Amino acid sequence: MNLLDIGNKARAAWRELRGAPTEKKNAVLLSIADGLMSGKSEIIAANQMDTALGERAGLTLALLDRLRLDEARLSGMADGLRSVVSLPDPVGEVFDESIQPNGLKVYKQRVPLGVLGVIYEARPNVTIDVAGLAIKTGNAAILRGGSETLNSNRELVQVIRSALHSNGLPADAIQFIDDPDRELVMELLQMHDTIDMLIPRGGAGLHQFCRENSRIPVITGGIGICHLFVDESADLPAALKVIRNAKIQRPTVCNALDTLLVHRLVAGEFLPALVRELAADGVLFRADDGAVQSLHAAGRSLPAAVSPAGVDDFDTEWLSLVLGLRVVSGLEEAIEHIADHSTGHSDGILTRDETNATRFVAQVDSAAVYVNASTRFTDGGQLGLGAEVAISTQRLHARGPMALRELTTYKWVIYGANHVRE
């Protein structure tokens, strides 16, 4: 496979796509959405091949869950595209206008980033999310999905490229590396002449490899060691519902809850009820000494679902039905724990004390900070963005769910009247 040729084609396609009117870009997205549903039988059949191969290869349950497509998930992907159509196109937006003392009119105007390189594992929905957001913002994309999604992605990319072509836009705006050879990833990381931004979506190893080897600016994130802190003032029955959602609703994703911090003044009442309810749903617990003591006080022996926390348990993204438990003395210790162990993804407080909520928001430096809500809302669709290409935990350029606006940059535009500088 000739990646240089792929890069050059993507670059050429971008030069055409970047000036496409919003109506034409939206028409492509609607065609993709329709294509997902009309081609669902072929897509699901290809995905079943990938899933069967993944099972034989020993993929984890978390990866198999991320890999699997069914009619409901395809329908959700199509709905996501339609919601992106309904959102304003940021390309061409004018902001920060000013008139200088010498009469120069100055403003910034949003423009596409260029060509995106996206490397991802076991998430065929990423193919559609990235393509939809890239097309809407006038960006081209080169996609390198994992070998475990090869058959699924072939079908999805065919739908995307067909939609581009049928609506009069270059199919080469979305390129797919249809080869599982890992050496191609290293080659892709060197293509700084044709790729403007690299977005890896996968485990910590993939992110580290890209940071260390890429000659292209890299946006990293999506690895979540997520926390909720139950303050002494929390509405405990309501807190239990929020925690249950954050842990159980979809435990294999990056915004699922990993560690629960509980104020010592409510731990004796709250933890036994929490363990009893969540253990019934199959959750296993890794408890620190304070949590173990609180649970022992409620009964003669530790519940079967609870084990003492190991040395690395509070630095683990579980991606499964495992939850860390720690009892803290108060807000400051909770904030300190999060600072030491969080990956800066999604962290929250459950409280009825507005002062504590304000301090938590001010002092917790994560991409998404919650007050009385599940961490599962860190998602482009849930936050009104339609979809996302990644969840960035960096501080530069973009942070949190990266959607339309985050896939643009800007240029300065200066209007004069034959001005010269003195």
Side-chain angles (χ1 to χ4, degrees), residues 36-220:
L36 290 176
M37 302 317 298
S38 63
K40 63 186 177 184
S41 297
E42 293 83 359
I43 296 169
I44 291 172
N47 182 255
Q48 288 172 343
M49 292 173 58
D50 286 332
T51 303
L53 290 170
E55 289 173 345
R56 287 200 289 272
L59 292 185
T60 66
L61 291 177
L63 285 177
L64 287 171
D65 177 64
R66 293 183 178 192
L67 169 59
R68 191 169 287 110
L69 291 177
D70 54 24
E71 186 169 348
R73 289 189 178 181
L74 283 175
S75 179
M77 290 156 61
D79 288 343
L81 288 168
R82 296 186 184 105
S83 70
V84 172
V85 168
S86 69
L87 295 173
D89 185 349
V91 176
E93 176 190 346
V94 171
F95 60 104
D96 287 355
E97 295 180 84
S98 65
I99 303 293
Q100 298 304 303
N102 63 1
L104 282 177
K105 179 182 178 182
V106 179
Y107 59 84
K108 296 174 184 175
Q109 186 172 38
R110 292 201 178 277
V111 296
L113 280 169
V115 179
L116 313 176
V118 187
I119 305 172
Y120 51 107
E121 302 169 344
R123 294 285 293 270
N125 64 294
V126 172
T127 303
I128 297 299
D129 289 347
V130 170
L133 293 173
I135 292 166
K136 176 86 175 197
T137 50
N139 292 293
I142 300 173
L143 309 178
R144 202 283 185 180
S147 58
E148 66 280 356
T149 60
L150 193 58
N151 295 297
S152 306
N153 282 334
R154 283 174 178 152
E155 293 292 332
L156 295 173
V157 170
Q158 182 176 333
V159 170
I160 295 163
R161 289 173 61 90
S162 175
L164 282 162
H165 178 73
S166 65
N167 286 280
L169 289 175
D172 285 339
I174 301 298
Q175 298 278 347
F176 174 52
I177 300 177
D178 190 4
D179 188 328
D181 186 353
R182 291 180 178 270
E183 291 300 318
L184 293 174
V185 173
M186 178 61 83
E187 186 176 345
L188 186 71
L189 298 182
Q190 312 307 308
M191 293 171 56
H192 60 93
D193 289 332
T194 52
I195 298 177
D196 297 285
M197 177 179 288
L198 189 77
I199 304 172
R201 290 189 60 165
L206 173 62
H207 286 251
Q208 182 177 350
F209 180 81
C210 291
R211 283 194 301 267
E212 292 177 352
N213 293 282
S214 178
R215 298 178 66 187
I216 306 163
V218 179
I219 292 285
T220 57

Side-chain angles (χ1 to χ4, degrees), residues 274-326:
L274 173 90
V275 169
R276 185 167 53 251
E277 177 162 331
L278 268 62
D281 290 301
V283 177
L284 302 175
F285 303 89
R286 302 290 186 267
D288 81 331
D289 290 343
V292 167
Q293 291 171 12
S294 295
L295 292 166
H296 267 310
R300 294 183 178 179
S301 60
L302 204 61
V306 180
S307 303
V311 64
D312 297 321
D313 282 351
F314 293 118
D315 294 302
T316 298
E317 182 187 26
W318 294 111
L319 301 175
S320 63
L321 288 174
V322 179
L323 180 62
L325 301 175
R326 183 182 176 192

